[in-house]
Amino acid sequence: KSGLDPGGAWHAWGMACLKAGNLSSAREKFNRCLKPPMDLNQLNHGSRLVQDVIQYLESTVKPILIADDDYFTTLRELEATLRTRSLSLEMMCEGKIQHNSYYQECLFYLHSYGTNLAIISFYMRHDCMREALLHLLNKESPSEVFIDGIFIPSYESGKLHMLENLLETIDPGLESWGVYLIAACKYLQRKNYYHILYELQQFMKDHVRAAMTCIRFFTHGAKSYTDLGGKQTWLLKIKDHLKVYLQEVSRSSGRKKMAFTFRKKMSATDVSRHINTVDLQMEVTKFLHRCESSGTSQITSSSLPTLFGNNNMKMDVACKVMLEGKNIEEGFGIAFRVLQDFQLEATEVYSKVATQLVKQQKYSEIRQLLKCVNESGVAAKNDGDNIILNCLNEFKNIPAEDLDSLIQDMDSDENKIQAYVMCDKLRSAYLVSVRQEKTRAVQLVQHVRQLAENSRDDVVKAICAQWL
C-alpha cells in the first residue's frame, strides 16, 4: 500500500528461514528479491544480498530439512548436523566437500545469482581448484577472471605448483590455457614479480620469453661490470633457453607443424644471432670485470651499457672496451667484433674514443688507435684523418709537439692543411700547400693568404704573396 520496495522484506524473511534451517523455504523467499547479474563476467562477486547469503551459509553448517512440524524435526536436525559436521571434518582436508549440504546450497545461489568470479572464488576458498579451472574453461571467462579468481590466490597461498600441475593435467599441451597464461605473465611483469614470471615461463616452455627475463635479471640493478661479473650464470641460462628453443623448432619442422600459438616465436637465424650476442657479452663482461678488478678502469658513466640495449648503447660498449684496457690495443679486438657484428658506425665510435683520449691527455694512445684502425683491414681511406679532424674540432689546446705529430700522421695533404688551418698554424698550412701540384697549390696558398689577412698575420701573408 505504501509503495515501498518489498525486496528488503523478502531478503530478511529468506535470511530468517536460513537461520531456522528451512533451506527450501529460504530459496523461495530469495527468488523474489535476488536477480542474476547482467554480465556474468563482471569483476565482482555479485550483489551484496547474494554475498550475505553465501557468507551465512559458509559460516554455518546446516543440513537441508524436510519442512514438516512433527516432533522429530529437532532430532533429525541434530543428527544430520552431527553427521554433516563430521563429514565436513573428514572431507575438508582433501578439499572434497561436494557432499556437504551447505556446499550444495551455496552453489545453488552462486549459479543462480552470482558472477563467474564469485563461483570460482568459492571453489578456490574450499580447495576445489580443479572445479574452478573447469568452470573458467566451460564459461570461456575472460583472463581477468582467471587472474583475480585463480592465479593471484594460487601464488599468494604458495600453490602455484599445484595450479601448474592441474593446468597440465586438464590440457597437457596447455593450448586451452594460452590466453590465460599470457595474461598472467603480463600481470606479473606489471607488478615487477620477475621471479614468479620466470618460473611460469619455464612451466609454459616459453623459452624465448624466459631468455628475455634472464636478460633482465642479468642487467637489472648492476652498477659496474664487477656486478655483472657476478651475474654471468644468467648469460648461460639465456643460451640454454635459446638452444632448447632451436632444438624444439628443428624437431617440429620435420613433423606436422606444432601449434605453439601462445609461445613467442623467432626465426632460427635470429636465435643464432642472439646466441652470438650472449657469447660476445660474456667476453665483454670478463674483459671489463678484469679491468675493474686490476684498477685500469677509469671511465664511469651514469648507466651501465650492455649489448642488450639499442645501437647507441652497443657503441658505448665498444668505446668502454677500448678505453678501459691497459692500452687501446688490448680491447680493440673485442670492440672491433662488436662494431662488425652489429654493423655499427665505426668512425663515430673511433672519434668518440679519440675525444676521450684527448680529455685524458693520452696523445700516444690516439696514434695507437689510428694504427689499430688502419690494420683492421676494413677502414676507409680517410677514416684515420677524419678521427684526427674530429678531435681537433673539439680541442684547440693540444700541446704543440703532440699536435704536430698527430697531424704528421695524417695521410692526405689536403686534410693536413685543413688541420693546420683549424689550429691557426697558417705557416705550416702554407708549407704543405706549396708542395702540391702547381694549379692546386696556387688555390691553397691564396686561401691561406686570405686567412692570414683576416687574422692580421702579416708574416704569413707576406710569404704567401711572395710565393704567388
Side-chain angles (χ1 to χ4, degrees):
K1 285 179 181 178
S2 59
L4 295 173
D5 178 22
W10 284 116
H11 186 259
W13 197 352
M15 289 304 286
C17 292
L18 272 189
K19 286 169 185 174
N22 198 340
L23 302 186
S24 57
S25 183
R27 285 190 184 192
E28 182 199 330
K29 305 299 180 285
F30 286 129
N31 188 39
R32 295 172 184 267
C33 62
L34 298 179
K35 292 182 177 62
M38 299 289 286
D39 176 15
L40 288 174
N41 285 321
Q42 61 196 40
L43 292 179
N44 58 44
H45 289 249
S47 72
R48 184 69 253 172
L49 300 181
V50 178
Q51 289 179 56
D52 288 346
V53 173
I54 301 303
Q55 204 173 338
Y56 177 77
L57 283 167
E58 283 187 306
S59 65
T60 313
V61 182
K62 288 280 183 182
I64 298 173
L65 295 180
I66 299 157
D68 57 15
D69 295 319
D70 66 26
Y71 296 107
F72 299 106
T73 299
T74 50
L75 288 173
R76 199 182 292 115
E77 179 183 348
L78 179 62
E79 186 184 40
T81 302
L82 289 170
R83 191 170 60 248
T84 309
R85 280 205 172 125
S86 64
L87 179 71
S88 155
L89 289 171
E90 280 170 31
M91 306 305 261
M92 277 291 200
C93 56
E94 291 177 35
K96 304 282 186 206
I97 51 170
Q98 287 90 328
H99 304 300
N100 205 318
S101 54
Y102 94 92
Y103 177 92
Q104 297 300 340
E105 203 65 16
C106 285
L107 285 180
F108 166 77
Y109 285 105
L110 286 168
H111 281 290
S112 304
Y113 311 110
T115 60
N116 284 327
L117 181 58
I119 296 167
I120 284 167
S121 298
F122 175 79
Y123 281 134
M124 291 296 287
R125 276 199 304 279
H126 296 285
D127 293 332
C128 298
M129 196 186 282
R130 183 185 172 84
E131 285 74 7
L133 287 168
L134 291 172
H135 183 85
L136 180 88
L137 266 192
N138 292 337
K139 299 296 178 186
E140 296 179 352
S141 294
S143 49
E144 291 83 1
V145 174
F146 171 74
I147 301 291
D148 289 359
I150 298 175
F151 186 71
I152 294 174
S154 293
Y155 78 70
E156 283 184 347
S157 59
K159 292 179 180 171
L160 192 58
H161 283 302
M162 186 194 292
L163 172 62
E164 290 172 353
N165 290 338
L166 277 170
L167 293 175
E168 214 163 22
T169 306
I170 295 168
D171 177 5
L174 300 179
E175 286 302 319
S176 47
W177 305 115
V179 66
Y180 299 119
L181 289 169
I182 293 297
C185 289
K186 286 178 180 171
Y187 166 81
L188 292 170
Q189 201 163 358
R190 278 198 309 276
K191 288 282 189 180
N192 288 330
Y193 295 163
Y194 283 94
H195 288 280
I196 304 175
L197 173 65
Y198 182 52
E199 187 185 327
L200 189 62
Q201 286 167 336
Q202 289 180 93
F203 161 73
M204 291 160 65
K205 297 184 174 60
D206 195 348
H207 294 292
V208 175
R209 286 194 181 96
M212 289 158 75
T213 305
C214 290
I215 291 174
R216 202 254 179 201
F217 283 133
F218 175 70
T219 54
H220 185 68
K223 297 283 188 292
S224 68
Y225 262 87
T226 305
D227 292 347
L228 290 181
K231 291 176 151 198
Q232 289 185 75
T233 48
W234 288 113
L235 293 177
L236 296 171
K237 286 185 179 179
I238 298 169
K239 274 183 74 173
D240 289 343
H241 284 299
L242 294 176
K243 282 177 178 175
V244 170
Y245 177 78
L246 273 182
Q247 287 166 5
E248 287 185 355
V249 168
S250 63
R251 272 205 302 270
S252 63
S253 60
R255 298 200 305 271
K256 186 163 64 72
K257 197 79 177 153
M258 288 176 82
F260 285 157
T261 47
F262 65 91
R263 296 176 180 92
K264 189 167 179 65
K265 293 181 181 63
M266 193 179 276
S267 71
T269 315
D270 282 348
V271 174
S272 300
R273 196 161 44 78
H274 286 306
I275 290 173
N276 190 44
T277 300
V278 174
D279 285 334
L280 200 47
Q281 180 63 53
M282 286 182 93
E283 272 193 67
V284 168
T285 306
K286 283 171 186 166
F287 178 77
L288 290 175
H289 182 199
R290 195 171 69 244
C291 292
E292 286 180 4
S293 303
S294 62
T296 56
S297 168
Q298 293 178 345
I299 311 303
T300 52
S301 59
S302 51
S303 65
L304 193 65
T306 70
L307 298 178
F308 300 119
N310 58 21
N311 275 0
N312 284 337
M313 193 184 265
K314 291 180 178 108
M315 287 162 87
D316 287 346
V317 171
C319 291
K320 196 173 174 67
V321 167
M322 280 190 266
L323 289 166
E324 295 207 4
K326 289 199 289 286
N327 52 45
I328 288 294
E329 201 170 356
E330 191 186 19
F332 187 84
I334 297 174
F336 183 71
R337 275 180 55 203
V338 171
L339 297 175
Q340 289 292 294
D341 283 10
F342 300 107
Q343 297 178 331
L344 302 174
E345 194 56 58
T347 313
E348 191 182 329
V349 173
Y350 298 143
S351 296
K352 272 187 183 177
V353 172
T355 305
Q356 284 293 335
L357 291 171
V358 173
K359 278 183 185 172
Q360 295 169 20
Q361 299 182 344
K362 294 181 175 177
Y363 305 111
S364 61
E365 291 284 300
I366 297 175
R367 299 180 76 177
Q368 194 180 41
L369 171 66
L370 297 172
K371 178 172 170 282
C372 289
V373 170
N374 289 329
E375 288 174 357
S376 68
V378 293
K381 187 167 182 253
N382 278 334
D383 276 359
D385 290 7
N386 288 335
I387 292 166
I388 294 172
L389 288 173
N390 284 334
C391 283
L392 300 180
N393 212 10
E394 288 197 41
F395 298 96
K396 302 288 186 282
N397 56 348
I398 299 172
E401 193 181 323
D402 293 303
L403 185 63
D404 276 339
S405 66
L406 279 176
I407 295 174
Q408 289 301 321
D409 280 345
M410 296 175 91
D411 292 327
S412 151
D413 281 350
E414 295 268 346
N415 288 335
K416 284 179 185 175
I417 295 165
Q418 189 183 338
Y420 282 129
V421 166
M422 282 167 71
C423 300
D424 298 325
K425 289 180 170 288
L426 297 180
R427 184 186 173 84
S428 299
Y430 161 78
L431 290 172
V432 180
S433 297
V434 295
R435 293 205 304 265
Q436 309 308 305
E437 179 267 324
K438 188 58 63 79
T439 316
R440 182 65 183 142
V442 170
Q443 292 171 344
L444 291 168
V445 173
Q446 282 175 336
H447 178 58
V448 171
R449 184 182 66 172
Q450 185 61 53
L451 290 171
E453 194 176 317
N454 294 346
S455 61
R456 297 203 170 103
D457 186 337
D458 294 333
V459 176
V460 175
K461 180 184 170 188
I463 297 171
C464 291
Q466 187 181 354
W467 185 88
L468 287 166

